[in-house]
Structures are given as structure tokens and as C-alpha cells.
Amino acid sequence: MNKFKILLLVFPFLISAACIHDDVAVDDDIVVFFQFEYVNHAWGFQHNGFIIDQQGNVYDYEKPDDWVWPENNEISTSAFESNLSKAEGRLAQLDGSDIKEMTKLAKQARYGDLTEQKSVMADAGAEVYAIYTATVGDNILTRHLLQQRGDVYQKNKTSASDEITEWLIDFRGTDGFPDDNF
């Protein structure tokens, strides 16, 4: 057999081996929001955080009135938009390549299993790192926990979740509660 025939036989295998397949397809029909939120009911109510959309817009909030909380990890798009309207948009946008990478990771993290909840502190409140996803045109966004720290510790077991959480912590500018209790 000559080299050309061998190459024709082996070529399909070389092509399939060279292709990199992600666990989750990158499609444009999924909407993703990233959120950091701190809530504490001890010694006076505290509620603040930020939401980042897929365009890199950042919305900060501090004790917003009539905030709509997700029920069973779901919130209507109209309620979510109402929450965003109570937040203050920052003038600067985040880098599009960072948002694209985090969106790709979010599509993986949404399928992650959660660890068991671990009670660690009392009266510290909760730092919550989460993503919200929906298919374009859906009326419901689903909240996916990445990590919760404070009184209760729990985390999504995917490495994608860890990367997004670290990105949100870096953006937040402070470490908050330590991660050594997971």
C-alpha cells in the first residue's frame, strides 16, 4: 500500500482526534447573568451585591425596596428585570472576551451537583455567588448556585463554578469569607 492510501485511511481518525469538543456546546440562545449577593438578617437587615449581564454591564444594588427573591431557584424575567431596575448601572463595561469565557463556563456550571450544606458560622449572613440562565424567549430564569459562604457553606462541584466564583471575587475586590470551610 502506498503512503497516499494509508493517509486516506488514517485521515478521518486524525481529524476527529484533532477536534476539541466541549462538554457544553456554545450556543447563542442561552441568556446568562452573574450575581454576587450578601444578605444578613442579624443585627439589622443588610442586602447588597451586583449583577453582570452578557454585554458586560454591571448593576450594583444596596438594600433595594421590593426586591423579588427567586422561589425554588426560579424567577420570572419580568421580576428579574424589576430587580435590575432597582440597581444602579456602572458607567464602565467589562471586557467582552472575559464575559464570553465566563458565559461558556456558566453553561457548564449549571449542570453541577451541590455539596451538602455545612453550618459554619452564626450571624455572619450569606455571601452568594450564582448564575441565572434561560433560553432566549423564556419567561423564567433559573438560579444556579456556584458557592455560598458565611453561616452556611455549600458549593457547586464543577471546576467551571470555581473559576466563575474566583472571577466574581476578583471583580468584587475583596475575598469575603474564606473558602477553607468547603
Side-chain angles (χ1 to χ4, degrees), residues 106-137:
K107 292 174 184 180
Q108 297 170 11
R110 65 187 168 151
Y111 297 112
D113 293 325
L114 298 176
T115 61
E116 292 292 320
Q117 291 185 344
K118 180 179 177 185
S119 188
V120 175
M121 299 180 200
D123 295 341
E127 292 179 353
V128 177
Y129 302 88
I131 55 173
Y132 287 81
T133 64
T135 302
V136 171

PDB file of all heavy atoms in Angstrom, residues 106-137:
ATOM      1  N   ALA A 106     -20.290  29.197  32.516  1.00  0.00           N
ATOM      2  CA  ALA A 106     -21.620  29.147  33.146  1.00  0.00           C
ATOM      3  C   ALA A 106     -22.472  28.042  32.534  1.00  0.00           C
ATOM      4  O   ALA A 106     -23.235  27.370  33.239  1.00  0.00           O
ATOM      5  CB  ALA A 106     -22.317  30.495  33.011  1.00  0.00           C
ATOM      6  N   LYS A 107     -22.336  27.847  31.249  1.00  0.00           N
ATOM      7  CA  LYS A 107     -23.104  26.801  30.571  1.00  0.00           C
ATOM      8  C   LYS A 107     -22.695  25.417  31.060  1.00  0.00           C
ATOM      9  O   LYS A 107     -23.490  24.489  31.028  1.00  0.00           O
ATOM     10  CB  LYS A 107     -22.949  26.934  29.061  1.00  0.00           C
ATOM     11  CG  LYS A 107     -23.625  28.194  28.537  1.00  0.00           C
ATOM     12  CD  LYS A 107     -23.360  28.402  27.065  1.00  0.00           C
ATOM     13  CE  LYS A 107     -23.970  29.719  26.617  1.00  0.00           C
ATOM     14  NZ  LYS A 107     -23.751  29.975  25.206  1.00  0.00           N
ATOM     15  N   GLN A 108     -21.473  25.284  31.557  1.00  0.00           N
ATOM     16  CA  GLN A 108     -21.019  24.026  32.142  1.00  0.00           C
ATOM     17  C   GLN A 108     -21.438  23.932  33.611  1.00  0.00           C
ATOM     18  O   GLN A 108     -21.909  22.895  34.060  1.00  0.00           O
ATOM     19  CB  GLN A 108     -19.500  23.900  32.037  1.00  0.00           C
ATOM     20  CG  GLN A 108     -18.987  23.851  30.618  1.00  0.00           C
ATOM     21  CD  GLN A 108     -17.476  23.969  30.539  1.00  0.00           C
ATOM     22  OE1 GLN A 108     -16.784  23.896  31.542  1.00  0.00           O
ATOM     23  NE2 GLN A 108     -16.965  24.167  29.334  1.00  0.00           N
ATOM     24  N   ALA A 109     -21.281  25.032  34.335  1.00  0.00           N
ATOM     25  CA  ALA A 109     -21.536  25.028  35.776  1.00  0.00           C
ATOM     26  C   ALA A 109     -23.005  24.774  36.111  1.00  0.00           C
ATOM     27  O   ALA A 109     -23.311  24.213  37.166  1.00  0.00           O
ATOM     28  CB  ALA A 109     -21.095  26.355  36.386  1.00  0.00           C
ATOM     29  N   ARG A 110     -23.904  25.138  35.215  1.00  0.00           N
ATOM     30  CA  ARG A 110     -25.330  24.973  35.532  1.00  0.00           C
ATOM     31  C   ARG A 110     -25.732  23.516  35.707  1.00  0.00           C
ATOM     32  O   ARG A 110     -26.781  23.228  36.266  1.00  0.00           O
ATOM     33  CB  ARG A 110     -26.201  25.663  34.486  1.00  0.00           C
ATOM     34  CG  ARG A 110     -26.112  25.058  33.118  1.00  0.00           C
ATOM     35  CD  ARG A 110     -26.875  25.890  32.114  1.00  0.00           C
ATOM     36  NE  ARG A 110     -26.547  25.438  30.784  1.00  0.00           N
ATOM     37  CZ  ARG A 110     -27.334  25.519  29.759  1.00  0.00           C
ATOM     38  NH1 ARG A 110     -28.523  26.066  29.892  1.00  0.00           N
ATOM     39  NH2 ARG A 110     -26.964  25.076  28.586  1.00  0.00           N
ATOM     40  N   TYR A 111     -24.907  22.594  35.269  1.00  0.00           N
ATOM     41  CA  TYR A 111     -25.209  21.166  35.425  1.00  0.00           C
ATOM     42  C   TYR A 111     -24.509  20.538  36.628  1.00  0.00           C
ATOM     43  O   TYR A 111     -24.599  19.342  36.841  1.00  0.00           O
ATOM     44  CB  TYR A 111     -24.818  20.402  34.157  1.00  0.00           C
ATOM     45  CG  TYR A 111     -25.616  20.830  32.945  1.00  0.00           C
ATOM     46  CD1 TYR A 111     -25.006  21.506  31.898  1.00  0.00           C
ATOM     47  CD2 TYR A 111     -26.980  20.580  32.872  1.00  0.00           C
ATOM     48  CE1 TYR A 111     -25.739  21.902  30.790  1.00  0.00           C
ATOM     49  CE2 TYR A 111     -27.718  20.986  31.775  1.00  0.00           C
ATOM     50  CZ  TYR A 111     -27.091  21.641  30.737  1.00  0.00           C
ATOM     51  OH  TYR A 111     -27.817  22.049  29.648  1.00  0.00           O
ATOM     52  N   GLY A 112     -23.808  21.346  37.421  1.00  0.00           N
ATOM     53  CA  GLY A 112     -23.037  20.814  38.542  1.00  0.00           C
ATOM     54  C   GLY A 112     -23.896  20.407  39.728  1.00  0.00           C
ATOM     55  O   GLY A 112     -24.923  21.020  40.022  1.00  0.00           O
ATOM     56  N   ASP A 113     -23.458  19.369  40.400  1.00  0.00           N
ATOM     57  CA  ASP A 113     -24.093  18.942  41.652  1.00  0.00           C
ATOM     58  C   ASP A 113     -23.582  19.811  42.787  1.00  0.00           C
ATOM     59  O   ASP A 113     -22.472  20.336  42.735  1.00  0.00           O
ATOM     60  CB  ASP A 113     -23.759  17.471  41.954  1.00  0.00           C
ATOM     61  CG  ASP A 113     -24.377  16.515  40.940  1.00  0.00           C
ATOM     62  OD1 ASP A 113     -25.501  16.801  40.476  1.00  0.00           O
ATOM     63  OD2 ASP A 113     -23.734  15.503  40.614  1.00  0.00           O
ATOM     64  N   LEU A 114     -24.382  19.923  43.843  1.00  0.00           N
ATOM     65  CA  LEU A 114     -24.002  20.719  45.001  1.00  0.00           C
ATOM     66  C   LEU A 114     -23.520  19.829  46.133  1.00  0.00           C
ATOM     67  O   LEU A 114     -23.999  18.708  46.307  1.00  0.00           O
ATOM     68  CB  LEU A 114     -25.194  21.547  45.497  1.00  0.00           C
ATOM     69  CG  LEU A 114     -25.764  22.570  44.517  1.00  0.00           C
ATOM     70  CD1 LEU A 114     -27.000  23.236  45.118  1.00  0.00           C
ATOM     71  CD2 LEU A 114     -24.715  23.606  44.155  1.00  0.00           C
ATOM     72  N   THR A 115     -22.577  20.353  46.914  1.00  0.00           N
ATOM     73  CA  THR A 115     -22.146  19.652  48.118  1.00  0.00           C
ATOM     74  C   THR A 115     -23.271  19.756  49.151  1.00  0.00           C
ATOM     75  O   THR A 115     -24.189  20.564  49.006  1.00  0.00           O
ATOM     76  CB  THR A 115     -20.869  20.287  48.717  1.00  0.00           C
ATOM     77  OG1 THR A 115     -21.159  21.649  49.072  1.00  0.00           O
ATOM     78  CG2 THR A 115     -19.708  20.215  47.736  1.00  0.00           C
ATOM     79  N   GLU A 116     -23.161  18.973  50.199  1.00  0.00           N
ATOM     80  CA  GLU A 116     -24.102  19.092  51.316  1.00  0.00           C
ATOM     81  C   GLU A 116     -23.870  20.431  51.996  1.00  0.00           C
ATOM     82  O   GLU A 116     -22.739  20.909  52.053  1.00  0.00           O
ATOM     83  CB  GLU A 116     -23.891  17.961  52.323  1.00  0.00           C
ATOM     84  CG  GLU A 116     -24.282  16.583  51.803  1.00  0.00           C
ATOM     85  CD  GLU A 116     -25.782  16.440  51.586  1.00  0.00           C
ATOM     86  OE1 GLU A 116     -26.573  16.935  52.416  1.00  0.00           O
ATOM     87  OE2 GLU A 116     -26.160  15.835  50.563  1.00  0.00           O
ATOM     88  N   GLN A 117     -24.923  21.020  52.536  1.00  0.00           N
ATOM     89  CA  GLN A 117     -24.765  22.259  53.290  1.00  0.00           C
ATOM     90  C   GLN A 117     -24.019  21.979  54.585  1.00  0.00           C
ATOM     91  O   GLN A 117     -24.236  20.960  55.221  1.00  0.00           O
ATOM     92  CB  GLN A 117     -26.126  22.869  53.603  1.00  0.00           C
ATOM     93  CG  GLN A 117     -26.829  23.407  52.398  1.00  0.00           C
ATOM     94  CD  GLN A 117     -28.130  24.116  52.756  1.00  0.00           C
ATOM     95  OE1 GLN A 117     -28.673  23.968  53.846  1.00  0.00           O
ATOM     96  NE2 GLN A 117     -28.644  24.891  51.820  1.00  0.00           N
ATOM     97  N   LYS A 118     -23.123  22.906  54.938  1.00  0.00           N
ATOM     98  CA  LYS A 118     -22.326  22.762  56.151  1.00  0.00           C
ATOM     99  C   LYS A 118     -22.487  24.031  56.987  1.00  0.00           C
ATOM    100  O   LYS A 118     -22.129  25.123  56.542  1.00  0.00           O
ATOM    101  CB  LYS A 118     -20.856  22.561  55.763  1.00  0.00           C
ATOM    102  CG  LYS A 118     -19.918  22.387  56.925  1.00  0.00           C
ATOM    103  CD  LYS A 118     -18.500  22.176  56.391  1.00  0.00           C
ATOM    104  CE  LYS A 118     -17.498  22.077  57.518  1.00  0.00           C
ATOM    105  NZ  LYS A 118     -16.123  21.988  56.995  1.00  0.00           N
ATOM    106  N   SER A 119     -23.040  23.892  58.165  1.00  0.00           N
ATOM    107  CA  SER A 119     -23.231  25.026  59.059  1.00  0.00           C
ATOM    108  C   SER A 119     -21.883  25.381  59.690  1.00  0.00           C
ATOM    109  O   SER A 119     -21.252  24.543  60.328  1.00  0.00           O
ATOM    110  CB  SER A 119     -24.255  24.662  60.131  1.00  0.00           C
ATOM    111  OG  SER A 119     -24.585  25.803  60.872  1.00  0.00           O
ATOM    112  N   VAL A 120     -21.435  26.634  59.498  1.00  0.00           N
ATOM    113  CA  VAL A 120     -20.098  27.037  59.919  1.00  0.00           C
ATOM    114  C   VAL A 120     -20.137  28.190  60.922  1.00  0.00           C
ATOM    115  O   VAL A 120     -19.431  28.170  61.917  1.00  0.00           O
ATOM    116  CB  VAL A 120     -19.233  27.429  58.701  1.00  0.00           C
ATOM    117  CG1 VAL A 120     -17.876  27.957  59.125  1.00  0.00           C
ATOM    118  CG2 VAL A 120     -19.068  26.240  57.769  1.00  0.00           C
ATOM    119  N   MET A 121     -20.922  29.215  60.667  1.00  0.00           N
ATOM    120  CA  MET A 121     -20.925  30.418  61.498  1.00  0.00           C
ATOM    121  C   MET A 121     -22.343  30.699  61.997  1.00  0.00           C
ATOM    122  O   MET A 121     -23.289  30.026  61.603  1.00  0.00           O
ATOM    123  CB  MET A 121     -20.430  31.619  60.688  1.00  0.00           C
ATOM    124  CG  MET A 121     -19.028  31.505  60.174  1.00  0.00           C
ATOM    125  SD  MET A 121     -18.607  32.986  59.241  1.00  0.00           S
ATOM    126  CE  MET A 121     -17.237  32.378  58.280  1.00  0.00           C
ATOM    127  N   ALA A 122     -22.465  31.736  62.812  1.00  0.00           N
ATOM    128  CA  ALA A 122     -23.761  32.227  63.257  1.00  0.00           C
ATOM    129  C   ALA A 122     -23.755  33.746  63.151  1.00  0.00           C
ATOM    130  O   ALA A 122     -22.771  34.393  63.481  1.00  0.00           O
ATOM    131  CB  ALA A 122     -24.034  31.788  64.689  1.00  0.00           C
ATOM    132  N   ASP A 123     -24.812  34.291  62.627  1.00  0.00           N
ATOM    133  CA  ASP A 123     -24.988  35.743  62.466  1.00  0.00           C
ATOM    134  C   ASP A 123     -24.026  36.377  61.470  1.00  0.00           C
ATOM    135  O   ASP A 123     -23.869  37.593  61.462  1.00  0.00           O
ATOM    136  CB  ASP A 123     -24.872  36.472  63.811  1.00  0.00           C
ATOM    137  CG  ASP A 123     -25.984  36.103  64.778  1.00  0.00           C
ATOM    138  OD1 ASP A 123     -27.016  35.588  64.308  1.00  0.00           O
ATOM    139  OD2 ASP A 123     -25.819  36.326  65.979  1.00  0.00           O
ATOM    140  N   ALA A 124     -23.380  35.597  60.635  1.00  0.00           N
ATOM    141  CA  ALA A 124     -22.466  36.146  59.626  1.00  0.00           C
ATOM    142  C   ALA A 124     -23.192  36.482  58.327  1.00  0.00           C
ATOM    143  O   ALA A 124     -22.680  37.232  57.507  1.00  0.00           O
ATOM    144  CB  ALA A 124     -21.334  35.160  59.336  1.00  0.00           C
ATOM    145  N   GLY A 125     -24.359  35.904  58.137  1.00  0.00           N
ATOM    146  CA  GLY A 125     -25.085  36.122  56.900  1.00  0.00           C
ATOM    147  C   GLY A 125     -24.616  35.182  55.816  1.00  0.00           C
ATOM    148  O   GLY A 125     -24.012  34.139  56.086  1.00  0.00           O
ATOM    149  N   ALA A 126     -24.889  35.556  54.575  1.00  0.00           N
ATOM    150  CA  ALA A 126     -24.541  34.693  53.444  1.00  0.00           C
ATOM    151  C   ALA A 126     -23.981  35.514  52.293  1.00  0.00           C
ATOM    152  O   ALA A 126     -24.577  36.512  51.883  1.00  0.00           O
ATOM    153  CB  ALA A 126     -25.769  33.933  52.965  1.00  0.00           C
ATOM    154  N   GLU A 127     -22.827  35.100  51.815  1.00  0.00           N
ATOM    155  CA  GLU A 127     -22.290  35.577  50.543  1.00  0.00           C
ATOM    156  C   GLU A 127     -22.685  34.526  49.516  1.00  0.00           C
ATOM    157  O   GLU A 127     -22.348  33.353  49.668  1.00  0.00           O
ATOM    158  CB  GLU A 127     -20.769  35.650  50.571  1.00  0.00           C
ATOM    159  CG  GLU A 127     -20.193  36.684  51.455  1.00  0.00           C
ATOM    160  CD  GLU A 127     -18.667  36.664  51.432  1.00  0.00           C
ATOM    161  OE1 GLU A 127     -18.055  35.757  50.828  1.00  0.00           O
ATOM    162  OE2 GLU A 127     -18.099  37.561  52.047  1.00  0.00           O
ATOM    163  N   VAL A 128     -23.397  34.951  48.493  1.00  0.00           N
ATOM    164  CA  VAL A 128     -23.881  34.016  47.488  1.00  0.00           C
ATOM    165  C   VAL A 128     -23.322  34.412  46.127  1.00  0.00           C
ATOM    166  O   VAL A 128     -23.440  35.563  45.708  1.00  0.00           O
ATOM    167  CB  VAL A 128     -25.426  33.988  47.445  1.00  0.00           C
ATOM    168  CG1 VAL A 128     -25.922  33.072  46.336  1.00  0.00           C
ATOM    169  CG2 VAL A 128     -25.988  33.567  48.795  1.00  0.00           C
ATOM    170  N   TYR A 129     -22.722  33.456  45.458  1.00  0.00           N
ATOM    171  CA  TYR A 129     -22.240  33.614  44.095  1.00  0.00           C
ATOM    172  C   TYR A 129     -23.108  32.699  43.239  1.00  0.00           C
ATOM    173  O   TYR A 129     -23.188  31.497  43.506  1.00  0.00           O
ATOM    174  CB  TYR A 129     -20.762  33.223  43.986  1.00  0.00           C
ATOM    175  CG  TYR A 129     -19.887  34.034  44.913  1.00  0.00           C
ATOM    176  CD1 TYR A 129     -19.656  33.632  46.227  1.00  0.00           C
ATOM    177  CD2 TYR A 129     -19.324  35.231  44.478  1.00  0.00           C
ATOM    178  CE1 TYR A 129     -18.869  34.394  47.083  1.00  0.00           C
ATOM    179  CE2 TYR A 129     -18.538  35.999  45.331  1.00  0.00           C
ATOM    180  CZ  TYR A 129     -18.317  35.575  46.627  1.00  0.00           C
ATOM    181  OH  TYR A 129     -17.551  36.337  47.485  1.00  0.00           O
ATOM    182  N   ALA A 130     -23.767  33.269  42.228  1.00  0.00           N
ATOM    183  CA  ALA A 130     -24.734  32.491  41.457  1.00  0.00           C
ATOM    184  C   ALA A 130     -24.755  32.945  40.007  1.00  0.00           C
ATOM    185  O   ALA A 130     -24.248  34.022  39.663  1.00  0.00           O
ATOM    186  CB  ALA A 130     -26.134  32.638  42.069  1.00  0.00           C
ATOM    187  N   ILE A 131     -25.358  32.116  39.185  1.00  0.00           N
ATOM    188  CA  ILE A 131     -25.663  32.482  37.800  1.00  0.00           C
ATOM    189  C   ILE A 131     -27.153  32.266  37.585  1.00  0.00           C
ATOM    190  O   ILE A 131     -27.776  31.435  38.257  1.00  0.00           O
ATOM    191  CB  ILE A 131     -24.850  31.669  36.766  1.00  0.00           C
ATOM    192  CG1 ILE A 131     -25.027  30.164  36.983  1.00  0.00           C
ATOM    193  CG2 ILE A 131     -23.387  32.077  36.774  1.00  0.00           C
ATOM    194  CD1 ILE A 131     -24.396  29.285  35.919  1.00  0.00           C
ATOM    195  N   TYR A 132     -27.696  33.026  36.684  1.00  0.00           N
ATOM    196  CA  TYR A 132     -29.083  32.858  36.251  1.00  0.00           C
ATOM    197  C   TYR A 132     -29.039  32.551  34.767  1.00  0.00           C
ATOM    198  O   TYR A 132     -28.342  33.240  34.017  1.00  0.00           O
ATOM    199  CB  TYR A 132     -29.891  34.136  36.475  1.00  0.00           C
ATOM    200  CG  TYR A 132     -30.211  34.414  37.917  1.00  0.00           C
ATOM    201  CD1 TYR A 132     -29.271  35.011  38.751  1.00  0.00           C
ATOM    202  CD2 TYR A 132     -31.456  34.075  38.443  1.00  0.00           C
ATOM    203  CE1 TYR A 132     -29.568  35.270  40.077  1.00  0.00           C
ATOM    204  CE2 TYR A 132     -31.756  34.332  39.765  1.00  0.00           C
ATOM    205  CZ  TYR A 132     -30.804  34.934  40.582  1.00  0.00           C
ATOM    206  OH  TYR A 132     -31.101  35.184  41.900  1.00  0.00           O
ATOM    207  N   THR A 133     -29.766  31.529  34.339  1.00  0.00           N
ATOM    208  CA  THR A 133     -29.782  31.170  32.921  1.00  0.00           C
ATOM    209  C   THR A 133     -31.221  30.994  32.436  1.00  0.00           C
ATOM    210  O   THR A 133     -32.113  30.650  33.212  1.00  0.00           O
ATOM    211  CB  THR A 133     -29.010  29.858  32.640  1.00  0.00           C
ATOM    212  OG1 THR A 133     -29.658  28.775  33.309  1.00  0.00           O
ATOM    213  CG2 THR A 133     -27.560  29.962  33.082  1.00  0.00           C
ATOM    214  N   ALA A 134     -31.391  31.229  31.146  1.00  0.00           N
ATOM    215  CA  ALA A 134     -32.672  30.993  30.482  1.00  0.00           C
ATOM    216  C   ALA A 134     -32.406  30.842  29.000  1.00  0.00           C
ATOM    217  O   ALA A 134     -31.404  31.345  28.479  1.00  0.00           O
ATOM    218  CB  ALA A 134     -33.639  32.145  30.713  1.00  0.00           C
ATOM    219  N   THR A 135     -33.282  30.158  28.344  1.00  0.00           N
ATOM    220  CA  THR A 135     -33.251  30.113  26.889  1.00  0.00           C
ATOM    221  C   THR A 135     -33.898  31.394  26.391  1.00  0.00           C
ATOM    222  O   THR A 135     -34.883  31.861  26.973  1.00  0.00           O
ATOM    223  CB  THR A 135     -34.020  28.881  26.370  1.00  0.00           C
ATOM    224  OG1 THR A 135     -33.432  27.709  26.940  1.00  0.00           O
ATOM    225  CG2 THR A 135     -33.971  28.787  24.857  1.00  0.00           C
ATOM    226  N   VAL A 136     -33.340  31.982  25.338  1.00  0.00           N
ATOM    227  CA  VAL A 136     -33.885  33.220  24.796  1.00  0.00           C
ATOM    228  C   VAL A 136     -35.377  33.018  24.531  1.00  0.00           C
ATOM    229  O   VAL A 136     -35.791  32.014  23.960  1.00  0.00           O
ATOM    230  CB  VAL A 136     -33.145  33.625  23.496  1.00  0.00           C
ATOM    231  CG1 VAL A 136     -33.839  34.790  22.813  1.00  0.00           C
ATOM    232  CG2 VAL A 136     -31.702  33.967  23.788  1.00  0.00           C
ATOM    233  N   GLY A 137     -36.173  33.956  25.006  1.00  0.00           N
ATOM    234  CA  GLY A 137     -37.618  33.885  24.821  1.00  0.00           C
ATOM    235  C   GLY A 137     -38.365  33.263  25.990  1.00  0.00           C
ATOM    236  O   GLY A 137     -39.586  33.373  26.072  1.00  0.00           O
TER     237      GLY A 137
END
